Amino acid sequence: VDEIKGVDQVMADVEQEISQAQDPNMKPVLIMKQTKLAGEKQQLAAREKRLGVRERQLRVKERQLRDDKAKLQDKEAKLREEMKEKKQAAFTWTESEARLDGMGFCKEEKYFRLDRSYLRGTNTNSGEHLLLYCRKAFLEQFRFLQEQVLEHGALGWIQGSPGTGKTTTTLSFCMKLDRNEWSFKCIRLKARSN
């Protein structure tokens, strides 16, 4: 717009020069200059029109991008919420109110008595006990937890094949601890199969 105004001003000046021109040779030169300026003005107007159209197109595109961004942010928030719910569902646990009295070794450390509710993952005190046969690995792990972990205040790592009693032995050991001195949580993590 400013460029067109500038050309209009120059054209007005040229027109005034044409009307005041005394030299007859100068008049055709000024008219040619005026014609050239008129062509420039038309080019500028066409360019301005194209820019106006392009600017409107860009505004429409900008609005579409803002709308798309808002939709993506909503979708991201929903996905995050779904993931949060899935994580919460994956890490739910049940607290047990199992009775601790009567739990522990019996019959010369050949068996370990345990409340069934710990193994079932329920929070109801069943009052039912389960006798676990103390295999050699059970006793070794029990001693490891007592002598290497508890007495030395160290961390212990227990690994082995599935179903060999790692969790049951550790849980049994923890339930044998003095509840006035120790508290524990047993959290079992297992991979989901897809």
Side-chain angles (χ1 to χ4, degrees), residues 41-79:
K41 182 178 176 180
Q42 282 182 334
Q43 287 177 349
L44 286 171
R47 190 176 107 202
E48 188 175 298
K49 187 176 180 181
R50 284 192 309 270
L51 287 174
V53 168
R54 185 69 182 142
E55 186 177 337
R56 284 190 296 279
Q57 289 172 340
L58 286 172
R59 281 193 204 122
V60 168
K61 188 69 174 170
E62 183 181 19
R63 259 194 309 271
Q64 287 174 341
L65 288 171
R66 256 189 269 125
D67 291 345
D68 290 348
K69 182 179 179 182
K71 287 176 186 175
L72 284 172
Q73 287 173 334
D74 289 345
K75 190 173 183 177
E76 180 185 21
K78 287 177 185 174
L79 286 172

Coordinates of all heavy atoms in Angstrom, one line a residue, residues 41-79:
K41 N 2.4 0.8 -11.1 CA 1.3 0.9 -10.2 C 0.4 -0.3 -10.4 O -0.1 -1.0 -9.4 CB 0.5 2.2 -10.4 CG -0.7 2.3 -9.4 CD -1.4 3.6 -9.6 CE -2.6 3.7 -8.7 NZ -3.3 5.0 -8.8
Q42 N 0.1 -0.7 -11.6 CA -0.7 -1.9 -11.9 C -0.1 -3.2 -11.4 O -0.7 -4.0 -10.8 CB -1.0 -2.0 -13.4 CG -2.0 -1.1 -13.9 CD -2.3 -1.3 -15.4 OE1 -1.4 -1.8 -16.1 NE2 -3.5 -1.0 -15.9
Q43 N 1.3 -3.3 -11.6 CA 2.0 -4.4 -11.1 C 1.9 -4.5 -9.5 O 1.7 -5.6 -9.0 CB 3.5 -4.4 -11.5 CG 3.6 -4.7 -13.0 CD 5.1 -4.6 -13.4 OE1 5.9 -4.1 -12.7 NE2 5.4 -5.1 -14.6
L44 N 2.1 -3.3 -8.9 CA 2.0 -3.3 -7.4 C 0.6 -3.7 -6.9 O 0.5 -4.4 -6.0 CB 2.4 -1.9 -6.9 CG 3.9 -1.6 -7.0 CD1 4.2 -0.1 -6.7 CD2 4.7 -2.5 -6.0
A45 N -0.4 -3.2 -7.6 CA -1.8 -3.5 -7.2 C -2.0 -5.0 -7.4 O -2.6 -5.7 -6.5 CB -2.7 -2.7 -8.0
A46 N -1.5 -5.6 -8.5 CA -1.7 -7.1 -8.7 C -0.9 -7.8 -7.6 O -1.5 -8.8 -7.1 CB -1.2 -7.4 -10.1
R47 N 0.3 -7.4 -7.3 CA 1.1 -8.1 -6.3 C 0.4 -8.0 -4.9 O 0.3 -8.9 -4.2 CB 2.5 -7.5 -6.2 CG 3.4 -8.3 -5.3 CD 4.8 -7.7 -5.4 NE 5.0 -7.1 -4.1 CZ 5.9 -6.2 -3.9 NH1 6.7 -5.7 -4.8 NH2 6.0 -5.6 -2.7
E48 N -0.2 -6.8 -4.6 CA -0.9 -6.6 -3.4 C -2.1 -7.5 -3.3 O -2.4 -8.1 -2.2 CB -1.3 -5.1 -3.2 CG -1.8 -4.8 -1.9 CD -2.1 -3.3 -1.7 OE1 -1.2 -2.5 -1.8 OE2 -3.3 -3.0 -1.5
K49 N -2.8 -7.6 -4.4 CA -4.0 -8.5 -4.4 C -3.5 -10.0 -4.2 O -4.2 -10.7 -3.4 CB -4.7 -8.4 -5.8 CG -6.0 -9.1 -5.8 CD -6.7 -8.9 -7.2 CE -8.0 -9.6 -7.2 NZ -8.7 -9.4 -8.5
R50 N -2.5 -10.4 -4.9 CA -2.0 -11.8 -4.6 C -1.5 -12.0 -3.2 O -1.8 -13.0 -2.6 CB -0.8 -12.1 -5.5 CG -1.2 -12.3 -7.0 CD 0.0 -12.9 -7.8 NE 1.2 -12.2 -7.7 CZ 1.6 -11.2 -8.5 NH1 0.8 -10.8 -9.5 NH2 2.7 -10.5 -8.3
L51 N -0.9 -10.9 -2.6 CA -0.4 -11.0 -1.2 C -1.6 -11.1 -0.3 O -1.6 -11.8 0.7 CB 0.5 -9.9 -0.9 CG 1.9 -9.9 -1.5 CD1 2.6 -8.6 -1.1 CD2 2.7 -11.1 -0.9
G52 N -2.7 -10.3 -0.6 CA -3.9 -10.3 0.2 C -4.5 -11.7 0.2 O -4.9 -12.2 1.2
V53 N -4.6 -12.3 -1.0 CA -5.2 -13.7 -1.1 C -4.3 -14.6 -0.3 O -4.8 -15.5 0.4 CB -5.3 -14.1 -2.6 CG1 -5.6 -15.5 -2.7 CG2 -6.3 -13.2 -3.3
R54 N -3.0 -14.5 -0.5 CA -2.1 -15.4 0.2 C -2.1 -15.3 1.7 O -2.1 -16.2 2.4 CB -0.6 -15.2 -0.3 CG 0.4 -16.1 0.2 CD 0.2 -17.5 -0.3 NE 1.2 -18.4 0.2 CZ 1.0 -19.6 0.6 NH1 -0.2 -20.1 0.3 NH2 1.9 -20.3 1.1
E55 N -2.3 -14.0 2.1 CA -2.4 -13.7 3.5 C -3.7 -14.4 4.1 O -3.6 -15.0 5.2 CB -2.4 -12.2 3.8 CG -2.4 -11.9 5.3 CD -2.3 -10.3 5.5 OE1 -1.9 -9.6 4.6 OE2 -2.7 -9.9 6.6
R56 N -4.8 -14.3 3.4 CA -6.0 -14.9 3.8 C -5.9 -16.4 3.9 O -6.3 -17.1 4.8 CB -7.2 -14.5 2.9 CG -7.7 -13.1 3.2 CD -9.0 -12.8 2.5 NE -8.9 -12.8 1.0 CZ -8.4 -11.8 0.2 NH1 -8.0 -10.7 0.8 NH2 -8.4 -12.0 -1.1
Q57 N -5.2 -17.0 2.9 CA -5.0 -18.4 2.8 C -4.1 -18.8 4.0 O -4.4 -19.8 4.7 CB -4.3 -18.8 1.5 CG -5.1 -18.8 0.3 CD -4.3 -19.0 -1.0 OE1 -3.1 -18.8 -1.0 NE2 -5.1 -19.3 -2.0
L58 N -3.1 -18.0 4.3 CA -2.2 -18.3 5.5 C -3.0 -18.2 6.8 O -2.8 -19.0 7.7 CB -1.0 -17.4 5.5 CG 0.0 -17.7 4.5 CD1 1.1 -16.6 4.5 CD2 0.7 -19.0 4.7
R59 N -3.9 -17.2 6.9 CA -4.7 -17.1 8.1 C -5.6 -18.4 8.3 O -5.7 -18.9 9.4 CB -5.6 -15.9 8.1 CG -4.8 -14.6 8.4 CD -5.7 -13.5 8.7 NE -5.0 -12.2 8.4 CZ -5.4 -11.3 7.6 NH1 -6.5 -11.4 6.9 NH2 -4.7 -10.2 7.4
V60 N -6.2 -18.8 7.2 CA -7.0 -20.0 7.3 C -6.2 -21.2 7.7 O -6.6 -22.0 8.5 CB -7.7 -20.3 5.9 CG1 -8.3 -21.7 5.8 CG2 -8.8 -19.2 5.6
K61 N -5.0 -21.3 7.1 CA -4.1 -22.5 7.4 C -3.7 -22.4 8.9 O -3.6 -23.4 9.6 CB -2.9 -22.4 6.5 CG -2.0 -23.6 6.6 CD -2.6 -24.8 6.0 CE -1.7 -26.0 6.0 NZ -2.3 -27.2 5.7
E62 N -3.4 -21.1 9.3 CA -3.0 -21.0 10.7 C -4.1 -21.4 11.7 O -3.9 -22.1 12.7 CB -2.6 -19.5 11.0 CG -2.1 -19.2 12.4 CD -1.9 -17.7 12.6 OE1 -2.3 -16.9 11.8 OE2 -1.1 -17.4 13.5
R63 N -5.4 -21.0 11.3 CA -6.5 -21.5 12.2 C -6.6 -23.0 12.2 O -6.8 -23.6 13.2 CB -7.8 -20.9 11.6 CG -8.3 -19.7 12.4 CD -9.7 -19.3 12.1 NE -10.0 -19.1 10.6 CZ -9.8 -18.0 9.9 NH1 -9.4 -16.9 10.6 NH2 -10.1 -18.0 8.7
Q64 N -6.4 -23.6 11.0 CA -6.5 -25.1 10.9 C -5.4 -25.7 11.7 O -5.7 -26.7 12.4 CB -6.4 -25.5 9.4 CG -7.6 -25.2 8.6 CD -7.3 -25.6 7.1 OE1 -6.1 -25.6 6.7 NE2 -8.4 -25.7 6.3
L65 N -4.2 -25.1 11.7 CA -3.1 -25.7 12.5 C -3.4 -25.5 14.0 O -3.1 -26.4 14.8 CB -1.8 -25.0 12.1 CG -1.2 -25.4 10.7 CD1 0.0 -24.5 10.4 CD2 -0.8 -26.8 10.7
R66 N -4.0 -24.4 14.4 CA -4.3 -24.2 15.8 C -5.3 -25.2 16.2 O -5.2 -25.8 17.3 CB -4.8 -22.8 16.0 CG -3.8 -21.9 16.7 CD -4.4 -20.6 17.1 NE -4.2 -19.6 16.0 CZ -5.1 -18.9 15.4 NH1 -6.4 -19.0 15.9 NH2 -4.9 -18.1 14.5
D67 N -6.4 -25.4 15.4 CA -7.4 -26.4 15.7 C -6.8 -27.8 15.7 O -7.1 -28.6 16.7 CB -8.5 -26.4 14.6 CG -9.3 -25.1 14.7 OD1 -9.2 -24.4 15.7 OD2 -10.1 -24.9 13.7
D68 N -5.9 -28.2 14.8 CA -5.2 -29.5 14.8 C -4.4 -29.6 16.0 O -4.4 -30.7 16.7 CB -4.4 -29.7 13.5 CG -5.2 -29.8 12.3 OD1 -6.4 -30.0 12.4 OD2 -4.6 -29.7 11.2
K69 N -3.7 -28.6 16.4 CA -2.9 -28.6 17.6 C -3.7 -28.9 18.9 O -3.4 -29.7 19.7 CB -2.1 -27.3 17.8 CG -1.1 -27.3 19.0 CD -0.4 -26.0 19.1 CE 0.5 -26.0 20.3 NZ 1.2 -24.7 20.4
A70 N -4.9 -28.2 18.9 CA -5.7 -28.4 20.1 C -6.3 -29.8 20.1 O -6.3 -30.4 21.2 CB -6.9 -27.4 20.0
K71 N -6.6 -30.4 18.9 CA -7.1 -31.7 18.9 C -6.0 -32.7 19.3 O -6.3 -33.7 20.0 CB -7.6 -32.1 17.5 CG -8.9 -31.4 17.1 CD -9.2 -31.7 15.6 CE -10.5 -31.0 15.2 NZ -10.8 -31.2 13.7
L72 N -4.8 -32.5 18.8 CA -3.7 -33.3 19.2 C -3.4 -33.3 20.7 O -3.1 -34.3 21.4 CB -2.4 -33.0 18.4 CG -2.4 -33.4 17.0 CD1 -1.2 -32.8 16.3 CD2 -2.4 -34.9 16.9
Q73 N -3.5 -32.0 21.3 CA -3.3 -31.9 22.7 C -4.4 -32.7 23.5 O -4.1 -33.3 24.5 CB -3.3 -30.4 23.1 CG -2.0 -29.7 22.7 CD -2.0 -28.2 22.9 OE1 -3.1 -27.6 22.9 NE2 -0.9 -27.6 23.1
D74 N -5.6 -32.6 23.0 CA -6.7 -33.3 23.7 C -6.4 -34.8 23.6 O -6.6 -35.6 24.6 CB -8.0 -33.0 23.0 CG -8.5 -31.6 23.4 OD1 -8.0 -31.0 24.3 OD2 -9.5 -31.1 22.7
K75 N -6.0 -35.3 22.4 CA -5.8 -36.7 22.2 C -4.6 -37.1 23.1 O -4.7 -38.2 23.7 CB -5.4 -36.9 20.7 CG -5.4 -38.4 20.3 CD -5.2 -38.5 18.8 CE -5.2 -40.0 18.4 NZ -5.1 -40.2 17.0
E76 N -3.6 -36.3 23.2 CA -2.4 -36.6 24.0 C -2.8 -36.7 25.5 O -2.4 -37.7 26.2 CB -1.3 -35.6 23.9 CG -0.1 -35.8 24.7 CD 0.9 -34.7 24.7 OE1 0.6 -33.6 24.3 OE2 2.1 -35.0 25.0
A77 N -3.7 -35.8 25.9 CA -4.2 -35.8 27.3 C -5.0 -37.1 27.6 O -4.8 -37.8 28.6 CB -5.0 -34.6 27.6
K78 N -5.8 -37.5 26.6 CA -6.6 -38.7 26.7 C -5.7 -40.0 26.8 O -5.9 -40.9 27.6 CB -7.6 -38.9 25.6 CG -8.8 -37.9 25.7 CD -9.7 -38.0 24.5 CE -10.8 -37.0 24.6 NZ -11.6 -37.0 23.4
L79 N -4.7 -40.0 25.9 CA -3.7 -41.1 25.9 C -2.9 -41.2 27.2 O -2.7 -42.3 27.7 CB -2.8 -41.0 24.7 CG -3.4 -41.3 23.3 CD1 -2.4 -41.0 22.2 CD2 -3.8 -42.8 23.2

